[in-house]
Amino acid sequence: MRKSLILFVLFCIGTCINVLWAQKQVSGVVMDKDLNEPLPGANVVEKGTTNGTITDMDGKYSLQVADNAILVFSYIGMETLEEPLNGRSVVDVTMTTGAQKINEVVVTAMGIQRKAKSLTYATQNVGGKELTRAKETNMINSLQGKTSGLVITPNASGAGGSSKILLRGNKSAQGNNQPLIVIDGIPMSNPETSQQGSEYDGRDGGDALSNLNPDDIASINVLKGASAAALYGSMAANGVIMITTKKGREGAIRIDFSSNITMETTLAAPKLQDRYGAVVTGDQLSAKSWGEKITGKASGADRLGEFFRTGANYINSISINGGTEHSQSYISYANTTTKGIMPTNDFYRHNMTARQTFNAFDNKLKIDASLSYITQKIINRPHGGNYFNALTGLYYFPANGDFKHYKNNFEVYDPLNSWNAQNWYTSLDADQQNPYWVLNRNKRTDKRDRFMASGTVKYNITDYLNVQGRLSLDQTKDFYDMKVFATTTSVLAPPNGRYKRETFDAKQFYGDLLVNFNKTFNEQWEVNASAGTSFTDFKTQRLYIDSDKGGLVLPNYFVPENGATNGIQRSESPRKRLNSVFFTAQAGYKSMIYLDVTGRNDWSSTLAYTNNISYFYPSVGLTALLNEMIPMSEKINLLKFRGSYSIVGNDMPAYITKPKDGFNLGQLEPNNKVPFKEMKPEKLHSMEFGADLAMFDSRLNFDITYYKTNSKNQYFQVSSPVASGYDAFYINTGNIQNQGFESSVSWTQDLAADLSWKTDFNISFNDNKVKELDPALGKYVTIGEGAGFRFILEEGGSYGDIYTRTLKRTDDGVVDLDEKGNIQLTDYEYVGNVNAKWQLGWGNTFNYKDFSLYFLIDGKIGGNTVGMTQSYLDSYGVTETTADARDNGGVDLGNGQKMDAEKYYSAVAGKDKAGDQYVYSATNFRLRELSLGYTFRNLFGVSKNLSLSLVARNLFFIYKDSPHDPDMSISTSNGWQGFDIFGLPATRSYGFNLKATF
């Protein structure tokens, strides 16, 4: 143990002990074609034996083999190569990455490796460089547009904000729709944090995936459908994001350093007018800008430029790895500092990771241990909504006001109360405050500490049979507080101020045990099988304190003990346990046909007190490689057809079967929901069929998949009869269907001796239908509602349908006025859907000698987005749209008749008005990513390179209809997608990325 500890801390370098019975010494170098540099950590094995090694930090290897040996070169995410020795003593190879190469090895469910050609379902592998080429604070956002069928929607909440991830559409009305995240075969804790759930207030508590350091990630494999994820049973309904992290490699110590520095500016801020001001009465300005035309200088015209700063993002990381044949170490540190475009919004994160691997007993025993610690702090994280939002006052401010005055004098001394009071151009209300008061006197702080530890022990009983055990602990501790000073608008705080504090502690303990069997019989039959058991124990503790309407005893003294009466003090501590047994078996014949069968049985604590605590989730799949069955042209390297069917689940929240009573300030709050004794888990029935094609030495790769899923046993809450003694009860009902296709194609072309081009195109289509709902739910179910909009589930409709009141028109499209000449509105009507049906991405890479150029264009077609920011601003008369209407003499009603602009927008814009006028097409295309780089090779020694790149993200829109970025939202909650209400504007970033190897 002491020796192992020394190896872990100091990374001592030993010598390799090669097998003694080999007859010939062979050596060489393995190169990464895409990076044009040596590939460390590649596996080199003598075919048909367990005799092998891995390449060192310079991509070099040395091995003693038989004279007639065949060497097999493999690396996760790359095409496996076989090289006959043919008398050679030096064998150099170049390995390539790409979309489902013929012999590529990929990581599948439970961390099991499979040949890509044998898979019966769709997956897509993404190299770690896609996350680090142009870095994002939330690394998952770097995958936007790069994977077919993967939809990523970031929150409009700045650095560290959550992102909603969808694979193949929304499936659950009330439950989780995001995929399972798995790191090195172990499910990651991804607790549900605070998210905005109304038009007024809320906050983004962040997600678990945004904490990770992208430089620690080797590759990501996206298991898109239920069949691919079936081994995870009740956690598999939404697919899986499989993350493989970096680990130590045999060889001399290698140091990798990277520094990414980018600047940020606004990309899609509202277009505000500078022609008309507020009504002036003495030295006072009216709240709204429906006054006369400005004749002199519009002092407040450039208030957005004066308010928003140029953001800056600094991500620096360093890693050290190396080791001997028996012990390898990897240690890394990353520091992220972000200055948001909103003043005072700062983000700080530190990531520390250590990973140690050991090989013993002639490589029969392998031990892999990792430890990560993450700490981050966010000051004034932006959020959407009207309350506590600096953007409302900023946008509403009239162009004829002196914005700089209120910036420098956001508070003035009040001698009557002996404190500084808020200063603003108009009376304070729920809609707006001085933005600088919000930033400095409604201050918010988020802190997170996260600890992740895991260990894997694997023992090779024979060369075809092994047993493996894993344990992990993932703990997240969040702290949030908000200090609301006296003279904040009375709608939001009592006279002496308000204090809010929230602590959140989530802990997940996971373990599994697997037996793996992999053997080839008579060089014809391949059998790969695994069986095992696992458990997941997840518990959270949340404490919420809010002085609320009672306010503070002493003004502006922010401690829980200073809260007056009638406040809020609640705690909750739900716990869930999931026990499972599972198996998977794959049989292949002559590399022509593969049959996959999996099964998993789950016992979930959420189903306690019911007769349904145990559920079985099966899957079956078949793959046929026609190019192996039928003689074909040598130009065809792979022609594969595949199909699969599976049933998986979506686990329920805790305590629905036996709800718990609550407490607030020591007072009992009795449960008001009927215990759901008949509850069943949501079940997803999924089928998919697809084909894969590789041609011209795998320079052309194409895949296409059709899928259909039906999510049944949805759970809903229904109002109870008064006589029951309860307010509500639950039912299982419903059938939500998603069907569509995904496809990707790539082409690699050598244009000249030193010039190559690779292009990747992906496209996906998804159609969602609500096939069935129970009549007990009424005509429809509302999953989100606010500001005059409802997001509704209705039988025959689709998930995310938008309903709102519309502008009443005659049959020929003219605005229909009542007898007094006033605008009329209809009742709630269907006006669109928030989900785009088509997603597209097109990436291109050009390499010329040591230069590289990459750009990505992506977009979506269809769907709608709600622009409530534009609606509110129109009602205040501060937008370019309202100024144009006034310049044109009013708003044309469709027949040449014009209505006064103020009268029109006062009736149409704002809360609960003609919402259809602010529903926009979500179709958009943009230049998502751009990188131009040069590599200085061998600058610090052999294979010690320096790479410098100019990088940019979200440079500009090629096409956009909405006034805001339609790919952002205010919340990851199910009912609040495609909704903009004073969210932080989208940004473009540009800077440079430096990478060095020592």
Side-chain angles (χ1 to χ4, degrees), residues 815-870:
V815 176
D816 191 8
L817 305 180
D818 64 14
E819 62 276 4
K820 295 182 179 180
N822 296 322
I823 283 176
Q824 301 181 84
L825 302 179
T826 69
D827 200 355
Y828 280 80
E829 295 182 353
Y830 170 82
V831 294
N833 185 281
V834 299
N835 297 300
K837 290 185 178 293
W838 296 88
Q839 308 281 339
L840 305 95
W842 182 39
N844 290 270
T845 304
F846 294 88
N847 290 305
Y848 176 70
K849 294 185 177 180
D850 291 327
F851 287 94
S852 64
L853 171 67
Y854 173 84
F855 69 87
L856 171 67
I857 296 173
D858 76 338
K860 62 183 182 182
I861 301 174
N864 301 96
T865 180
V866 176
M868 277 309 298
T869 303
Q870 183 73 22

Side-chain angles (χ1 to χ4, degrees), residues 80 104 121 360 394 461 786 792 847 932 982 996:
T80 298
E104 180 184 352
Y121 44 76
L394 171 68
I461 301 171
I792 283 174
N847 290 305
L932 175 63
F982 295 103

Side-chain angles (χ1 to χ4, degrees), residues 560-587:
E561 296 80 4
N562 191 40
T565 58
N566 301 322
I568 299 173
Q569 187 175 39
R570 289 193 177 96
S571 65
E572 58 182 33
S573 53
R575 183 176 182 179
K576 297 169 63 174
R577 172 92 179 193
L578 184 69
N579 296 326
S580 311
V581 293
F582 52 85
F583 73 89
T584 176
Q586 181 188 80

Side-chain angles (χ1 to χ4, degrees), residues 368-530:
D368 188 347
S370 66
L371 184 67
S372 295
Y373 175 67
I374 301 148
T375 181
Q376 72 177 30
K377 180 179 180 180
I378 308 174
I379 300 172
N380 279 344
R381 190 205 301 259
H383 64 82
N386 291 307
Y387 293 175
F388 299 114
N389 193 336
L391 297 183
T392 57
L394 171 68
Y395 293 164
Y396 289 153
F397 192 83
N400 59 336
D402 186 353
F403 185 73
K404 287 184 179 179
H405 170 76
Y406 293 101
K407 173 183 178 179
N408 299 326
N409 300 279
F410 68 87
E411 59 183 5
V412 294
Y413 184 70
D414 179 2
L416 181 63
N417 292 295
S418 299
W419 61 34
N420 288 328
Q422 182 174 179
N423 182 34
W424 195 223
Y425 80 97
T426 187
S427 59
L428 303 175
D429 57 28
D431 288 338
Q432 63 167 312
Q433 301 185 86
N434 186 316
Y436 292 95
W437 174 270
V438 174
L439 296 179
N440 294 283
R441 296 295 179 257
N442 296 168
K443 197 168 186 177
R444 302 176 300 277
T445 303
D446 294 79
K447 296 180 181 178
R448 170 170 290 181
D449 289 288
R450 187 174 181 190
F451 173 82
M452 297 186 292
S454 66
T456 301
V457 178
K458 182 178 180 180
Y459 185 77
N460 295 313
I461 301 171
T462 68
D463 59 355
Y464 58 83
L465 181 66
N466 66 73
V467 61
Q468 174 182 280
R470 293 181 291 214
L471 288 174
S472 77
L473 175 66
D474 190 342
Q475 184 171 19
T476 300
K477 291 187 176 183
D478 288 349
F479 173 83
Y480 168 81
D481 79 344
M482 182 178 186
K483 300 173 181 178
V484 183
F485 277 69
T487 73
T488 294
T489 175
S490 60
V491 177
L492 305 179
N496 282 356
R498 179 179 175 184
Y499 181 56
K500 297 171 68 174
R501 172 185 286 187
E502 185 176 344
T503 60
F504 178 74
D505 187 347
K507 183 183 295 183
Q508 177 177 286
F509 188 40
Y510 172 87
D512 64 33
L513 180 67
L514 290 86
V515 177
N516 303 300
F517 177 90
N518 303 279
K519 190 172 178 61
T520 301
F521 298 92
N522 300 323
E523 298 185 354
Q524 293 184 345
W525 289 95
E526 299 175 45
V527 178
N528 303 290
S530 300

